[in-house]
Amino acid sequence: MDWESASLLPSVCALLADSAKPLPDDTILEKLLDRLTELSEAGVSLPESCPCLLDFIIAMASNSTSDSSILSFALKLSGLMAATEDGYRSLQERSVLEVIFRIQRWKDAELWNDPCIRIGWIHGLKRMLLHPEALAFFVQSGFIKPLLQLQSDPSMFVASAANHLLAHILLSIQPEEERASTESGAEHHHVFLQTYDHIKESLVPKEGELAAGSLQVLKMLALILDQARRPLRDQLLNAIATSLEELVEAGYSHLTPALIDVIMAGYSHDSNDVTSRLLSSMLNVDKPADLVHAAAAFLHRSHPRVSSDAANTSQAIRILLLPLHFVTEQPLLGTVPAEDNVIMAAQLKNKSTFIAMICVCLRSAPQLALMPPEVLPCNPAAIVLSVVILLRICSGDTSASSSSLLNGCRNEAFRCIISSGKVQKSALEALTSLSGSPGANSTMKEVSEVLIHYISNPDSDPTVLQKSYKALVQWMNVWTDLSSIPQQLGEDLLMAVKKRACDPRWDVRDSTIEFLGQLHCPLFLSDRSTTPLLREALQDPESYVRASAVSALARVLMPSWQQGTELAQEQIDTVKRLLDILREDTEGFARRAVVRYFMAWFSSCASPPSSPPSLLLESVRVVLSHCSLDLDWEVKVNTLELAELLLDAAFWDHRRSAGGEKHPYATFLTNGQPQAVDVTSDSALRSLADQGVFSALLSGLVDCDRPVALKACELLIKIRDVIYLAGDLTTGVCCELPDRGWGKEIRKMLESEGDESRRMNVREVLTSLGLDERRVLLSQSSDHVHNSFQSLLQDILSGRDPLGDAGKDGGQEVVVDCY
């Protein structure tokens, strides 16, 4: 700890000890505790270096008038100090731990009902238990019983903290193997027995009680079993097996996920394992909605220990396929017993429950399609087709299944899911993931038809439309043969996209433009048909759409850039429009996209043209000149990244190769050591100066946005290193500094403010700016000044007036620094 902080800490402790009112910043005590924790973990003895902390704890042990947040801090601080040998000894010698952690003391002061105190008690104990002697103190003080009671605390945060503490205790004392009891083992055994008894008593709700307490106990069990080893895992499961079975039989639907978590955390493939029996019971309950959730949770959470359980795996798969089989009539399960259809029909009485069940099945569909053939009762393609049919039903297409479907209960099923946004979104997400399933290519016609239908459907909401686009792009990426898709589908898609590009809703236009930029399938939509739509979108009134149009154009035009195709007049006009966006657009999204457009263009060229000046280089010069002074820091960083591309080209002997080294500086820096430089340094630097690269970097160096200044500094250091290696070859290269703005700042840094010359030698500038020192400073965030321990203590002391006499300073609020 530095001297300044050490001198402030006693005043802070005195202030906190005398404060009956809350601090103006209720997080500042947590920040102080974090700082003290860092010191303790770094090996600093808090009792020796900060004796005022011990005095503060002693004062708080007999204080019941301070604000609860300060008292809670005292409890946590006590635990922090007691976690070390010297701290534990110091607190025990003064009998502080027995007083400050005694629950009756807080109850007598009528403070135990405050969750802040209970949280402080739990966190303090958890930290203290890092000391090897603390468990004996914990047990002898009788803390295990109140800790168990806090599992069902009305405060969710307290209950969760108590769960984690109890799990921490049990896991830390679990035996490595069965062994004879020792004195220490007896204490451990006492903790285990009390814990087991509490779980058995509280796991199953009593008559008239809510099941909230059961949920907390299940969460704790999952925490413990997930990390427990034998024999603890087996002892715990055997002790509570009857209670778990009773809870499964009780059929609390909202406890199903938590029960599955417990079962999977303790699962073993042993034939007599408790969890194996529980899992079989859960996969055979008489509530279909619970069955579906249990089956999905089982498959989702399964791991290698479960992979050999073919019986339960097959049962879970069948449970999840049954609702899809029932609604779509796809042969997912072969012949289904009549009673299963009756059970499914009964679910239609509650529309929301039925829809939720269908959505769970859809979320599991991609995983089901990847199951081994020996446990999957159908072809994976049948699962894909069932999702397609479900989407057609949702859109109101009653021809999606056979005519026999439209009667009785199945007719009711149609009414449940028609126009259901939840089902549509879940089905589209499932269809997107199913693109990688075995046999997906065999369903390409059906998939493309339903997706284009959704894109064309005026009733599709923006989110459904966006998911339809995403699914179609994903399937296009995996289809290997498009010859079976009718040409009419492509024409229908083009017509739909043209309408969507003019939709009054900006998010629809935006997702449509993004879709056009992601297409890699010219048999569906050609560049000739999509590019005009993208150019038109550059005029869109919404900045997000304009930015998407710029990005999409870059992706569409990239192949022609890579081939070096001569620019058409439309592309030339597009470049002019993009430069207008840089100058005129008031939104940063579009301007950032334009800079990235030119980055993509420059990077895509196999040999960026240099002479005679090309449209690309002329445009890049404009971008560097204009965007280096942009008000948006991300635009400026993107501009510096563009400048870096020019550096790469210039310092690699003007050679770029798609198969060559990706980083040009590798030609003269190997393992950090200078090597022979194969560059025409003088001409390269002159070219950079003419293109405006130095101006962009020097203006960035003095920019008020730290990421911009740091990026510029790093690039200038690279140039400086090249100059060093080139020796005297670069002495004549100059750059021009403006009289005002950044030019004036650079002159000030060079201590040449009186120099009226606008042109300055590049070598002299770069070697005189102190770039290495500046990079170190820029690499540090402002936190290294404002978030120091000293600053934190000063902030606490600055709150003295609001804590004490609020009438001073006219009652004005003291504003505390934000970290």
Side-chain angles (χ1 to χ4, degrees), residues 23-326:
L23 290 166
D25 177 4
D26 59 2
T27 65
I28 206 163
L29 291 175
E30 292 300 323
K31 298 168 190 171
L32 177 57
L33 188 68
D34 289 342
R35 289 293 186 178
L36 295 172
T37 302
E38 291 172 4
L39 290 173
S40 180
E41 292 177 345
V44 176
S45 172
L46 295 182
E48 181 180 335
S49 302
C50 315
C52 58
L53 294 175
L54 185 58
D55 295 335
F56 168 74
I57 293 173
I58 294 171
M60 290 295 100
S62 59
N63 185 320
S64 59
T65 60
S66 290
D67 179 70
S68 60
S69 63
I70 296 176
L71 294 172
S72 181
F73 168 75
L75 283 163
K76 296 174 184 176
L77 179 60
S78 301
L80 173 63
M81 293 189 69
T84 61
E85 179 59 36
D86 55 346
Y88 189 83
R89 185 175 60 254
S90 298
L91 291 168
Q92 283 287 58
E93 287 174 355
R94 304 199 188 187
S95 301
V96 176
L97 294 178
E98 292 85 346
V99 176
I100 199 166
F101 281 103
R102 186 163 56 89
I103 293 178
Q104 193 59 44
R105 169 252 195 281
W106 298 106
K107 289 183 177 179
D108 292 343
E110 299 182 351
L111 291 169
W112 187 246
N113 289 334
D114 190 327
C116 190
I117 298 296
R118 302 197 298 276
I119 280 284
W121 186 82
I122 293 171
H123 286 177
L125 283 177
K126 185 174 183 180
R127 189 77 192 188
M128 180 176 62
L129 285 169
L130 295 176
H131 190 279
E133 297 180 19
L135 181 63
F137 166 75
F138 176 87
V139 174
Q140 293 165 10
S141 300
F143 289 157
I144 184 66
K145 185 176 180 179
L147 178 61
L148 291 168
Q149 292 171 343
L150 290 175
Q151 308 297 310
S152 55
D153 195 270
S155 166
M156 177 183 65
F157 299 104
V158 173
S160 177
N163 270 345
H164 282 82
L165 175 54
L166 186 58
H168 169 78
I169 292 172
L170 293 181
L171 292 170
S172 64
I173 65 175
Q174 64 177 319
E176 295 292 339
E177 56 186 11
E178 297 288 355
R179 50 186 167 81
S181 295
T182 62
E183 182 179 352
S184 174
E187 290 177 348
H188 298 175
H189 186 63
H190 175 73
V191 172
F192 290 140
L193 285 182
Q194 281 200 269
T195 303
Y196 298 163
D197 289 343
H198 170 78
I199 292 174
K200 286 188 289 185
E201 291 176 4
S202 57
L203 193 55
V204 182
K206 304 297 186 294
E207 187 175 352
E209 290 183 357
L210 298 176
S214 300
L215 182 61
Q216 290 296 338
V217 175
L218 289 171
K219 289 180 178 179
M220 180 192 65
L221 281 173
L223 274 175
I224 297 170
L225 291 172
D226 192 51
Q227 303 176 57
R229 302 182 300 270
R230 285 183 170 177
L232 173 60
R233 182 178 66 85
D234 295 340
Q235 291 172 354
L236 180 56
L237 285 171
N238 289 328
I240 63 174
T242 302
S243 297
L244 282 173
E245 290 171 352
E246 188 177 345
L247 192 60
V248 170
E249 293 173 2
Y252 292 100
S253 298
H254 69 287
L255 295 181
T256 296
L259 269 168
I260 286 291
D261 283 342
V262 171
I263 291 171
M264 301 310 297
Y267 193 89
S268 170
H269 52 71
D270 296 345
S271 57
N272 295 322
D273 189 69
V274 171
T275 53
S276 182
R277 299 197 307 271
L278 289 170
L279 180 60
S280 296
S281 297
M282 292 204 69
L283 295 179
N284 286 281
V285 298
D286 58 359
K287 293 183 178 180
D290 289 356
L291 270 176
V292 166
H293 282 91
F298 166 68
L299 292 180
H300 178 69
R301 292 165 174 79
S302 62
H303 43 68
R305 286 188 295 175
V306 195
S307 58
S308 60
D309 192 348
N312 280 326
T313 301
S314 297
Q315 174 72 351
I317 292 172
R318 186 184 183 282
I319 289 169
L320 290 167
L321 289 178
L322 178 59
L324 298 178
H325 177 106
F326 172 77

